């Protein structure tokens, strides 16, 4: 059954799925009024101990590039002026460590091999060429291939390169063990599955937009109302839903906490302060004003720009409520 599904049906599964949805819509079983979306993580059928980490690759690659630069610097230092003029200045022109690629290194090694043919008794040069050709160049190519497979992810499995390591809900050891898997997003209406999508990101926040875009491409239109839990709450998703003119029932992470008595009595929370729009100032519970200082911008991985306004109190030194308001030694800052 699995071979039939994965081989013979692979090219037309989406078409069949869309055709069934069109039939349901024609019979008024679904009308895309209310679209309930949620995600679940499914463990991949891959070896959980064959992981490749993005940060580790970056460190190994940087060390290797630095080692190559040191080798070339030593070679150039030992070469005579006549030989430099004869062979050119290509080795020093390899540039900064971070810009050294396998193509550049391959070209440099070929130059050194040509030089070695003219100086076969140069043992240090022979040793360097052997190290570059047999060890450093293959490793640099391996790191580049791994980074290409990773893309914007931070990990992947060697036995299933599409799988990303993420924490699963079924954590029997309760140690937060990372396992290779996928984040599957499913949207329903009247208990019918109207859309599904597979993602390599562990958090639901970054999956909502691509999931709805796939639904739009398959059905030709967007649902009127999107209902999702707090895992999808975020400025980027709210901006997207508003831009698509969709009614969104999507909570954010602190939605329930804000309604508790403990939250409403916490003097450190910005929600319990007063904001003056004309003066552009915040007033804390103790009556101290926090004035606007500057505006910062940060860009998410998908390119969405988030703007933040930063404020600081003029003086918190003698405030009797400071210990309950902030742990900072200086004045209170908010953004």
């Amino acid at each position: 059954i699995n071979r039939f599904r994965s081989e013979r049906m692979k090219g037309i599964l989406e078409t069949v799925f869309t055709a069934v949805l069109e039939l349901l819509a024609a019979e008024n079983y679904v009308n895309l009024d209310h679209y309930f979306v949620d995600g679940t993580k499914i463990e991949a059928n891959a070896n959980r101990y064959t992981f490749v980490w993005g940060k580790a690759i970056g460190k190994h690659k940087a060390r290797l590039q630095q080692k190559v630069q040191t080798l070339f610097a030593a070679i150039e230092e030992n070469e005579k002026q006549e030989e430099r003029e004869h062979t050119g200045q290509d080795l020093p022109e390899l540039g900064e460590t971070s810009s050294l690629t396998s193509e550049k290194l391959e070209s440099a090694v070929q130059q050194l091999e040509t030089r070695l043919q003219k100086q076969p008794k140069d043992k240090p040069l022979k040793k360097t060429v052997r190290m570059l050709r047999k060890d450093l160049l293959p490793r640099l190519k391996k790191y580049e291939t791994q980074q290409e497979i990773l893309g914007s992810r931070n990990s992947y499995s060697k036995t299933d390169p599409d799988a990303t390591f993420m924490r699963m809900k079924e954590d029997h050891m309760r140690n937060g063990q990372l396992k290779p898997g996928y984040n599957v997003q499913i949207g329903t209406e009247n208990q019918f599955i109207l859309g599904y999508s597979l993602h390599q990101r562990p958090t639901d926040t970054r999956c909502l937009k691509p999931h709805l875009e796939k639904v739009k491409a398959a059905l030709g239109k967007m649902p009127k109302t999107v209902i999702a839990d707090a895992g999808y709450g975020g400025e980027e998703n709210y901006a997207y839903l508003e831009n698509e003119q969709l009614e969104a029932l999507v909570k954010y992470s602190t939605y329930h906490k804000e309604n508790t008595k403990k939250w409403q009595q916490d003097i450190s929370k910005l929600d319990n302060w007063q904001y003056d729009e004309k003066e552009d100032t915040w007033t804390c519970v103790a009556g101290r004003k926090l004035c606007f200082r500057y505006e910062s911008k940060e860009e998410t991985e998908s390119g969405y720009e988030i703007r933040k306004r930063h404020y600081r109190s003029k003086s918190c030194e003698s405030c009797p409520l400071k210990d309950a308001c902030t742990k900072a030694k200086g004045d209170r800052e908010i953004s």
Side-chain angles (χ1 to χ4, degrees):
I1 292 173
N2 186 56
R3 186 168 63 250
F4 177 78
R5 175 199 61 79
S6 60
E7 295 177 8
R8 300 199 179 194
M9 291 287 290
K10 187 175 181 180
I12 59 170
L13 272 176
E14 291 281 350
T15 307
V16 173
F17 182 76
T18 305
V20 173
L21 291 182
E22 290 173 353
L23 174 64
L24 291 172
E27 297 294 328
N28 293 320
Y29 284 105
V30 296
N31 49 27
L32 279 180
D33 279 344
H34 298 91
Y35 188 79
F36 295 84
V37 61
D38 201 0
T40 187
K41 294 169 189 170
I42 296 180
E43 187 174 351
N45 186 15
N47 190 328
R48 65 184 65 172
Y49 302 110
T50 58
F51 38 73
V52 176
W53 300 105
K55 288 184 179 180
I57 295 172
K59 288 180 181 178
H60 294 325
K61 186 179 177 183
R63 287 175 189 163
L64 186 147
Q65 290 172 329
Q66 187 63 53
K67 189 173 183 178
V68 171
Q69 291 284 357
T70 305
L71 282 173
F72 286 148
I75 291 171
E76 289 299 319
E77 187 68 27
N78 294 331
E79 284 297 319
K80 296 178 181 179
Q81 183 65 32
E82 303 86 53
E83 291 173 337
R84 281 207 197 100
E85 292 172 359
H86 179 70
T87 56
Q89 298 290 334
D90 288 336
L91 293 184
E93 290 173 3
L94 282 167
E96 298 294 329
T97 304
S98 59
S99 65
L100 176 60
T101 63
S102 58
E103 288 82 4
K104 289 182 180 180
L105 185 57
E106 176 69 45
S107 176
V109 172
Q110 288 175 3
Q111 290 181 48
L112 290 175
E113 288 172 338
T114 302
R115 186 184 298 182
L116 186 62
Q117 290 177 356
K118 298 176 182 178
Q119 305 170 13
K121 294 184 180 181
D122 191 336
K123 289 185 177 180
L125 181 61
K126 190 175 183 180
K127 183 180 179 181
T128 300
V129 170
R130 189 188 304 116
M131 184 187 296
L132 288 167
R133 178 61 72 184
K134 298 291 185 181
D135 180 31
L136 301 183
L137 183 58
R139 278 166 55 195
L140 183 57
K141 287 181 178 179
K142 183 184 78 170
Y143 295 148
E144 288 177 346
T145 302
Q146 289 175 336
Q147 287 182 326
E148 187 178 344
I149 295 172
L150 273 171
S152 60
R153 293 181 292 163
N154 59 4
S155 64
Y156 74 85
S157 169
K158 290 180 182 177
T159 53
D160 183 0
D162 290 332
T164 306
F165 278 80
M166 52 186 75
R167 287 182 174 84
M168 301 293 168
K169 290 181 180 178
E170 293 78 19
D171 185 11
H172 303 295
M173 299 298 291
R174 296 183 180 178
N175 57 0
Q177 184 183 10
L178 296 169
K179 299 176 183 177
Y182 298 90
N183 191 344
V184 182
Q185 299 290 313
I186 295 176
T188 67
E189 184 183 46
N190 292 336
Q191 300 185 49
F192 289 105
I193 295 177
L194 303 188
Y196 65 91
S197 57
L198 202 64
H199 304 267
Q200 296 174 314
R201 304 188 181 281
T203 56
D204 291 336
T205 316
R206 293 290 309 282
C207 299
L208 183 63
K209 182 178 177 181
H211 174 77
L212 291 178
E213 287 293 330
K214 185 184 177 185
V215 172
K216 184 179 180 180
L219 303 180
K221 63 177 182 178
M222 285 282 203
K224 294 178 182 177
T225 304
V226 175
I227 301 100
D229 61 28
Y232 299 86
E235 182 181 338
E236 185 174 356
N237 283 341
Y238 293 143
Y240 169 75
L241 292 166
E242 186 175 327
N243 186 57
E244 292 291 332
Q245 297 182 338
L246 303 178
E247 184 179 0
L249 301 177
V250 184
K251 290 182 287 189
Y252 46 93
S253 58
T254 58
Y255 177 82
H256 290 293
K257 289 182 180 179
E258 290 176 8
N259 295 317
T260 62
K261 190 175 181 180
K262 182 180 178 182
W263 183 286
Q264 293 170 357
Q265 292 180 348
D266 189 343
I267 65 170
S268 67
K269 302 299 183 186
L270 199 63
D271 299 336
N272 301 322
W273 295 9
Q274 296 295 322
Y275 176 67
D276 190 317
E277 192 171 353
K278 289 184 179 180
E279 294 185 5
D280 193 14
T281 59
W282 287 88
T283 304
C284 68
V285 178
R288 311 282 174 109
K289 286 189 177 182
L290 286 82
C291 301
F292 172 74
R293 294 182 63 229
Y294 64 94
E295 186 178 271
S296 65
K297 296 178 182 179
E298 60 183 65
E299 199 171 275
T300 64
E301 198 176 329
S302 60
Y304 179 77
E305 186 179 82
I306 296 176
R307 298 166 63 187
K308 291 185 178 181
R309 295 177 66 80
H310 298 258
Y311 300 79
R312 181 191 283 175
S313 172
K314 291 181 178 179
S315 177
C316 293
E317 292 178 5
S318 58
C319 180
L321 303 177
K322 184 180 178 182
D323 291 339
C325 181
T326 179
K327 294 180 181 178
K329 293 181 179 180
D331 297 329
R332 176 71 191 269
E333 292 189 29
I334 59 171
S335 63

